[in-house]
Amino acid sequence: MADFADLTVYSYGDSPIPMKNIGWLGRSFGVPTGEGGVNSQALARLEFEIRKPRSLALGVHECEFCRSNPPVTGNGEIHIFGTDGTTYSTPTMIVHYIRDHAYSPPSEFVSALLREVPLEWDERAVTFSHMLQEPESDPAWKVNALLDLPNWSDPRAYQAALNATRDQELREIADYELGVTLGEFWAQVNKVDDQVYQGLDSLTQQYAIEAFCKMIQVARKSGNPEAP
């Protein structure tokens, strides 16, 4: 895995939307520790997100700062969306960097993690929705789009996810991601879409219910008065 300075333009792979680098740490830039740190709420959000890695690689990255043998390893990245249209890409190892190496990400990234205002439907959501409808779209980014769309609590985002359930290739290569995405959408309305659920493969059903229950649990812990 290459290392990039925080807030530089994402270039680690092809992306259909502009993104900024966060936490792509290595010996070239060291471990930034000068910002205000990450509170427990922001860290909990990151821990939740890294359960859904995007852009998985064939191998793993070894932490370049660990003195342990073997070092901590990681794979994939996550995407955090700001209300101002900014999208941040960070490796799943960001939690390790924060916990074990005192990494302090930029404050604007932490603010995006803690956003309380829902995302308005924007070009990012349109791009992801279109990707799931186009047969020629990159399969890897179709999977990423699935995982990213629940950031928008919008019927158009859910409809794009429903369209994905009819994509046989996605059903075969992304049963986990498809289930997690549907479960998160259902948790937003506190109700499982039974008709959709019945049409899923058994493993996808399992992932969807697990994600639904996890999201409800997170909402209760956060004090959301609408949580059942």
Side-chain angles (χ1 to χ4, degrees):
M1 183 181 79
D3 53 337
F4 304 97
D6 283 346
L7 302 179
T8 56
V9 175
Y10 177 88
S11 60
Y12 186 57
D14 294 330
S15 172
I17 61 170
M19 297 194 290
K20 289 184 178 182
N21 294 310
I22 295 290
W24 294 89
L25 305 185
R27 292 293 181 184
S28 298
F29 299 102
V31 181
T33 59
E35 297 273 351
V38 176
N39 64 24
S40 59
Q41 184 179 355
L43 188 58
R45 170 78 190 284
L46 286 171
E47 290 173 331
F48 178 78
E49 289 295 332
I50 65 174
R51 296 171 53 252
K52 307 173 294 176
R54 286 76 157 168
S55 299
L56 290 171
L58 294 177
V60 297
H61 174 70
E62 295 184 350
C63 176
E64 298 180 21
F65 308 104
C66 279
R67 296 182 178 179
S68 60
N69 188 17
V72 172
T73 62
N75 190 0
E77 62 190 64
I78 59 174
H79 304 146
I80 302 299
F81 298 87
T83 56
D84 63 352
T86 304
T87 304
Y88 305 92
S89 170
T90 184
T92 58
M93 289 184 69
I94 187 173
V95 172
H96 165 66
Y97 294 144
I98 292 171
R99 287 191 178 279
D100 298 329
H101 300 294
Y103 168 55
S104 183
S107 57
E108 68 174 72
F109 172 73
V110 177
S111 296
L113 283 172
L114 298 174
R115 66 172 170 81
E116 297 182 355
V117 179
L119 291 178
E120 295 185 1
W121 189 256
D122 58 22
E123 286 301 316
R124 297 172 295 181
V126 170
T127 297
F128 294 149
S129 297
H130 285 172
M131 289 186 74
L132 292 175
Q133 298 174 17
E134 297 296 332
E136 64 272 16
S137 295
D138 176 22
W141 259 100
K142 274 190 172 184
V143 175
N144 290 349
L146 262 180
L147 292 172
D148 287 335
L149 271 173
N151 283 279
W152 287 268
S153 300
D154 187 289
R156 289 168 289 189
Y158 183 52
Q159 184 59 53
L162 294 185
N163 292 339
T165 65
R166 296 187 283 273
D167 186 320
Q168 188 58 38
E169 181 182 28
L170 274 180
R171 290 178 69 116
E172 292 175 357
I173 69 173
D175 52 356
Y176 173 75
E177 291 84 358
L178 186 58
V180 166
T181 294
L182 292 171
E184 289 191 20
F185 275 120
W186 297 341
Q188 292 174 8
V189 295
N190 298 329
K191 182 180 180 182
V192 173
D193 188 331
D194 188 62
Q195 182 176 357
V196 175
Y197 174 83
Q198 295 299 332
L200 301 175
D201 301 330
S202 59
L203 198 55
T204 307
Q205 289 177 336
Q206 175 185 329
Y207 294 140
I209 294 301
E210 289 175 353
F212 173 81
C213 294
K214 180 65 176 178
M215 287 292 290
I216 296 298
Q217 182 183 32
V218 169
R220 287 174 178 169
K221 287 184 177 180
S222 67
N224 183 352
E226 296 183 1

